Amino acid sequence: MAITDVGDSILAKDSTQTEIPILHKLNRWQWWLLVGLNVFFLVAGQTAAVLLGRYYYDQGGSSTFMATLVQTAAFPILLVPLLFLPSSSSSPTPSDALSGKYMCLIYIALGLLLASDNYLYSKGLLYLSASTYSLICATQLAFNAVFAFFINSQKFTPLILNAVVILSYSAALLGVNESSDAPEGVTKSQYAVGFLCTLGASAIYSLLLSLMQLTFEKAIKKETFTVVLEMQIYTSIVASIASVVALFASGQWSSLSGEMHSFHSGKVSYVMTLVWTAVCWQVCSVGVVGLIFLVSSLFSNVISTVALAVGPIASVIAFHDKMNGVKIIVMLQAFWGFASYIYQNYIDESRMTQSRRQMEATDCRVGSC
């Protein structure tokens, strides 16, 4: 899975964070239109990318490193919005010293972690149906809460704990479930490998989000549209290079020609499947970045995870995956976990708004309105 998020904190909408003043001129319906458009990009891009990844394996594709590469290879698409953004006009800060080799090392480390994460996702999708894969990936929200608690000092409230327990229980149900819905030819041991790889990838992805949030807070010391976009581009470049190196080092590159010629739906279909998988992941990334800027990174993360729970429905339609009782229960539990997570955010936001209004009222009483 390509990187699609940058953590849990609410993205402040003050003059020091926002880089595109025109957004302040949008009326309410225009803002909601932009939010809806970005939600569509995120959900449609992510769902289509997962389905195309499963299609690649179903039609005879077998290179896990190629499946890893396409998750970040289309990063140049992200350069398009970056070209239209003005350069940051914020004043220099002590963190500027990290803009050189230290920031480069951070991007390399995060990029390599991203490449490893993408590989585990590719390995998991090789042995799992698209519906099971999506439901296991939904546990990333629970992992994210845990890592955010330890790394980003985020509160662990009863509602968040409820979400973690429910999503963890959902993963356990899928883990002990019979592998009757596994792709044809996949053994129970391979199903177990796929389950563990996908679960591990979800945990690593959540760790990646928390580390990125920590980078914004401690190293970059700001979280604007441009720096979020740059983070995705730079880490994608590193991840893509690492995937190419792994593709050649593993020897899988030598089998790509034969894989293309033996692809069940033809050579053109083989190329188009890889191309559109790559494009869909980056369309998803555009949606994620847009939601981070328009709303918050938490909102973006939740929408991304909800899309994973919706994925099984698309898998049933596209691949006729079996939707047994266990999967239905897991999907309902996933939505319950998301609801707990969102409601906690709503409570926190309401408290912050009330506190801000009280401070403003106090200022007015002392004559500083």
Side-chain angles (χ1 to χ4, degrees):
M1 174 180 288
I3 176 171
T4 59
D5 209 313
V6 290
D8 273 341
S9 66
I10 301 298
L11 182 59
K13 294 292 182 290
D14 56 36
S15 60
T16 62
Q17 296 284 74
T18 304
E19 290 186 345
I20 308 181
I22 194 173
L23 288 180
H24 293 296
K25 301 178 181 179
L26 297 178
N27 58 41
R28 191 170 184 81
W29 75 265
Q30 289 174 323
W31 183 84
W32 275 110
L33 181 63
L34 280 178
V35 170
L37 183 63
N38 281 282
V39 167
F40 173 77
F41 284 157
L42 193 162
V43 175
Q46 183 168 275
T47 302
V50 171
L51 294 180
L52 285 170
R54 183 63 254 170
Y55 180 80
Y56 167 75
Y57 288 131
D58 284 348
Q59 294 298 306
S62 60
S63 174
T64 51
F65 285 114
M66 175 56 74
T68 301
L69 175 61
V70 296
Q71 294 181 55
T72 52
F75 67 85
I77 292 176
L78 298 178
L79 293 173
V80 176
L82 189 63
L83 292 175
F84 292 96
L85 291 174
S87 58
S88 177
S89 58
S90 57
S91 58
T93 66
S95 63
D96 289 343
L98 296 178
S99 63
K101 65 177 183 179
Y102 292 109
M103 282 307 304
C104 183
L105 289 175
I106 290 175
Y107 287 135
I108 290 174
L110 294 176
L112 292 176
L113 189 62
L114 173 61
S116 302
D117 184 55
N118 289 343
Y119 174 75
L120 287 176
Y121 275 123
S122 300
K123 195 73 172 180
L125 191 56
L126 174 63
Y127 296 134
L128 299 175
S129 65
S131 56
T132 302
Y133 167 87
S134 295
L135 288 172
I136 297 174
C137 286
T139 59
Q140 71 186 40
L141 197 59
F143 285 117
N144 195 60
V146 175
F147 285 120
F149 174 76
F150 288 105
I151 297 177
N152 307 118
S153 302
Q154 187 152 331
K155 293 186 298 182
F156 220 100
T157 66
L159 284 172
I160 297 297
L161 181 60
N162 175 65
V164 171
V165 171
I166 288 176
L167 292 172
S168 300
Y169 179 63
S170 299
L173 275 179
L174 288 174
V176 300
N177 186 32
E178 291 293 328
S179 57
S180 56
D181 68 330
E184 186 178 351
V186 173
T187 64
K188 288 187 176 181
S189 61
Q190 289 174 327
Y191 178 90
V193 170
F195 172 83
L196 292 175
C197 283
T198 306
L199 192 64
S202 298
I204 293 176
Y205 179 67
S206 300
L207 173 63
L208 189 62
L209 300 186
S210 293
L211 291 176
M212 286 185 168
Q213 189 64 38
L214 187 66
T215 300
F216 286 127
E217 294 172 355
K218 303 299 183 181
I220 301 177
K221 296 188 177 180
K222 60 180 178 178
E223 186 177 329
T224 61
F225 190 86
T226 296
V227 297
V228 169
L229 203 56
E230 287 174 348
M231 173 70 80
Q232 296 212 31
I233 292 172
Y234 295 149
T235 54
S236 293
I237 291 173
V238 174
S240 297
I241 293 174
S243 299
V244 170
V245 171
L247 180 65
F248 281 87
S250 66
Q252 289 187 12
W253 68 272
S254 60
S255 63
L256 293 182
S257 178
E259 185 177 276
M260 180 173 65
H261 285 84
S262 62
F263 203 65
H264 298 166
S265 52
K267 292 185 288 186
V268 175
S269 177
Y270 175 82
V271 175
M272 295 307 294
T273 297
L274 295 177
V275 169
W276 282 108
T277 302
V279 170
C280 284
W281 277 125
Q282 296 311 312
V283 168
C284 174
S285 292
V286 170
V288 166
V289 173
L291 289 179
I292 290 172
F293 187 64
L294 290 168
V295 190
S296 72
S297 50
L298 172 63
F299 182 81
S300 181
N301 187 24
V302 171
I303 294 298
S304 175
T305 316
V306 168
L308 289 168
V310 175
I313 300 175
S315 303
V316 170
I317 297 173
F319 299 118
H320 306 291
D321 284 358
K322 297 178 181 179
M323 184 56 72
N324 55 33
V326 172
K327 284 188 179 180
I328 293 175
I329 292 173
V330 168
M331 189 160 61
L332 292 175
Q333 287 179 329
F335 282 120
W336 181 264
F338 302 146
S340 298
Y341 213 90
I342 294 173
Y343 185 60
Q344 180 62 60
N345 181 61
Y346 169 76
I347 292 175
D348 293 341
E349 194 73 10
S350 298
R351 288 174 178 170
M352 289 174 61
T353 301
Q354 184 178 6
S355 177
R356 186 164 53 248
R357 288 175 179 173
Q358 290 176 347
M359 290 177 63
E360 290 174 352
T362 301
D363 291 339
C364 286
R365 283 196 296 267
V366 297
S368 59
C369 292

